[in-house]
Amino acid sequence: TNPAAERLLGPMLPDEQHRRCGNLLACVNRKKNPRGCGSSPECSSCALSGAIRAVLSGALGVRDQEEEFTVDTAQGPVSRWMKFSVEPAVLDGRRHALAALTDISELRRVLDRTDRDRKILLSVLEDQKRAEQEQRKLQSQLLQSQKLEAIGTLAGGVAHEINNPISGIMGYAQLIQDRVGGQDSQVKEYTKEILREAARVATIVRNLLRFARQDKQSTSTAWVADIIEGALSLVRTVGRH
């Protein structure tokens, strides 16, 4: 007998050296057909059995193949991973298949645990990366919000500083227009332009204050021709002056 095989497969009976691989491994499939190992439907996909048949039929051997077997034990069926090699051997003029098996069940369990741990670690790292990206995004949004708040505060201060002088300019322009009346058409036209442009500045000031207070924005219809005419009127007035 082979001591290493006995350690791997258990004690052998005197004639077990001549039995099929399923009997040696105590494969559960050997009992599914009265003819034993190699006769059940599951045996057709057995890599070890197929390699032995191929070698006996004249094929070259195979090396370092891995296969999972379900074997009978005293505790019931258990899964066992085997690495095997099958080589041809000629003894007394007859071709035989020489098989070498290594139980790699523990190694596969370690590798499976390592692979699971690796996947878990990758998942944790990906979650951490997404969390860091989300944190950077929130920090950027917070910084942008703080910038807008600072701009709003500045705009509100500028608007208040401008608002009082503009009110004075509009008031004095209106007084001049009232005093002149129809006596001096040119002065009246100047004061009219002053009032118009002061009203534009006042509108800008109101918009700045609305932005500073973060009021809800509103829109209104405007004629492009009116905007252009207002700008040209100012240009003509300054040009004549």
Side-chain angles (χ1 to χ4, degrees), residues 158-179:
V158 171
H160 281 297
E161 291 295 325
I162 296 175
N163 195 42
N164 293 333
I166 286 299
S167 299
I169 292 172
M170 294 181 71
Y172 281 111
Q174 187 64 51
L175 286 174
I176 293 173
Q177 193 175 56
D178 293 342
R179 288 285 183 89

Side-chain angles (χ1 to χ4, degrees), residues 1 17 48 60 72 76 80 97 130 153 178 191 213 223 226:
T1 61
Q17 296 92 322
L48 176 59
L60 297 176
D72 287 324
R80 178 178 289 172
R130 284 194 293 268
T153 302
D178 293 342
T191 55
R213 293 192 298 265
W223 291 97
D226 292 342

Side-chain angles (χ1 to χ4, degrees), residues 14-189:
D15 61 342
E16 278 190 318
Q17 296 92 322
H18 306 291
R19 293 184 178 178
R20 295 180 179 180
C21 60
N23 296 326
L24 291 172
L25 293 173
C27 176
V28 294
N29 294 326
R30 77 190 189 282
K31 298 179 180 179
K32 294 183 178 180
N33 190 293
R35 290 180 296 177
C37 176
S39 301
S40 66
E42 292 81 3
C43 294
S44 60
S45 60
C46 176
L48 176 59
S49 178
I52 292 174
R53 288 195 301 269
V55 167
L56 292 176
S57 300
L60 297 176
V62 297
R63 293 184 178 181
D64 296 331
Q65 298 291 312
E66 295 182 5
E67 186 173 10
E68 184 180 18
F69 298 91
T70 302
V71 299
D72 287 324
T73 67
Q75 292 75 32
V78 298
S79 175
R80 178 178 289 172
W81 277 92
M82 294 287 184
K83 177 184 284 188
F84 64 87
S85 299
V86 181
E87 296 290 345
V90 179
L91 298 175
D92 299 328
R94 294 181 60 188
R95 187 180 180 89
H96 299 269
L98 182 63
L101 293 89
T102 304
D103 189 343
I104 59 171
S105 303
E106 184 61 30
L107 175 62
R108 287 296 296 248
R109 282 192 288 270
V110 171
L111 292 176
D112 288 344
R113 285 198 299 269
T114 302
D115 186 58
R116 287 195 299 270
D117 292 344
R118 181 183 62 84
K119 291 179 179 178
I120 293 173
L121 178 60
L122 288 176
S123 177
V124 170
L125 291 176
E126 289 176 357
D127 291 342
Q128 183 179 355
K129 183 178 180 181
R130 284 194 293 268
E132 291 174 351
Q133 290 174 343
E134 185 65 23
Q135 183 179 7
R136 286 195 294 269
K137 181 180 178 181
L138 292 175
Q139 288 175 343
S140 177
Q141 292 175 348
L142 177 60
L143 181 60
Q144 184 68 18
S145 177
Q146 290 173 341
K147 288 181 179 179
L148 290 175
E149 183 180 358
I151 293 173
T153 302
L154 177 62
V158 171
H160 281 297
E161 291 295 325
I162 296 175
N163 195 42
N164 293 333
I166 286 299
S167 299
I169 292 172
M170 294 181 71
Y172 281 111
Q174 187 64 51
L175 286 174
I176 293 173
Q177 193 175 56
D178 293 342
R179 288 285 183 89
V180 172
Q183 299 177 10
D184 193 331
S185 60
Q186 189 174 17
V187 172
K188 188 175 182 179
E189 185 176 352

Side-chain angles (χ1 to χ4, degrees), residues 198-212:
R200 279 181 51 191
V201 174
T203 301
I204 294 173
V205 169
R206 285 195 299 272
N207 290 336
L208 285 173
L209 289 172
R210 188 179 296 115
F211 173 76

